Structure formats: structure tokens, C-alpha cells
Amino acid sequence: VSSQPPRASVALSPHQLSKKQKDLEQQQEELLTEKRALQEQNKLMEAHLARATYLANQYEEDCRKVQAYLETIFANAQDSTADEDDDAVPALVKDVMDKLLLFQGR
């Protein structure tokens, strides 16, 4: 036994059906247009992401190259003393990279 009252079936006239169909077709077309616009926007955002990722990777690679270059320069300039500290050059290069050198990439 159902607690809901029975639904009366309402028949739509051909004119009402035609109007309802046109409304649904228009709504479908609007949704398809919105979908296409969102797909284009998604492509653009993916391209921006790919570009930003490439630039970030290139920047990191350039930083590593600058750091290696500075380590070579400072290692060659370091006096060859008896108690040479193996960590002194990398620490000096890190300080130079962090505090003195403003590397902005290419």
C-alpha cells in the first residue's frame, strides 16, 4: 500500500509537445556551446601549465649549472692548506646563491 496519492496522467497537446521539444533542443545546444567553450579553456590552461612547468624546470637546471660553475671557481681559488674543509666550498656557494646572487633565469 502506497502512501502517495495516485498521479493523474496529463496528456500534452501536440503544440505543447512541440514547444517542450524546442525548449529542450535549445537547452541542449546551449549546453553543447558551453561544453565547447570549457574544452577550449581547458586546452589553454593545459598549455599554460606545460609552459610554466618547462620554465620552472629550465630555471632549476640553470641554477644547478650556475652553482656547479661557482663551486669550480671557488674550489680552484681555494688555498691548498693542510686542513682543507671539504664542505667549505659548497657552503660558500650556497651562501653566494642565497644571499648575493639574484638569479632570475634566462
Side-chain angles (χ1 to χ4, degrees), residues 36-96:
R36 284 190 289 271
L38 289 173
Q39 287 172 331
E40 287 299 316
Q41 185 178 9
N42 187 48
K43 283 181 189 177
L44 182 62
M45 296 305 287
E46 286 176 354
H48 284 300
L49 177 61
R51 179 178 166 263
T53 301
Y54 172 80
L55 290 175
N57 290 340
Q58 189 64 56
Y59 176 84
E60 289 298 322
E61 181 65 25
D62 288 349
C63 279
R64 284 191 291 275
K65 288 178 182 177
V66 168
Q67 185 172 355
Y69 178 71
L70 289 176
E71 285 179 6
T72 302
I73 289 174
F74 289 132
N76 290 337
Q78 185 180 31
D79 292 335
S80 34
T81 59
D83 20 313
E84 203 174 287
D85 185 4
D86 289 340
D87 294 332
V89 170
L92 177 61
V93 169
K94 182 173 178 3
D95 281 346
V96 168

Side-chain angles (χ1 to χ4, degrees), residues 20-52:
K20 185 74 167 172
Q21 184 177 0
K22 285 180 184 178
D23 290 345
L24 289 174
E25 287 171 354
Q26 181 181 358
Q27 184 180 12
Q28 181 182 22
E29 186 58 38
E30 289 170 359
L31 290 172
L32 287 173
T33 301
E34 184 179 354
K35 179 183 176 183
R36 284 190 289 271
L38 289 173
Q39 287 172 331
E40 287 299 316
Q41 185 178 9
N42 187 48
K43 283 181 189 177
L44 182 62
M45 296 305 287
E46 286 176 354
H48 284 300
L49 177 61
R51 179 178 166 263

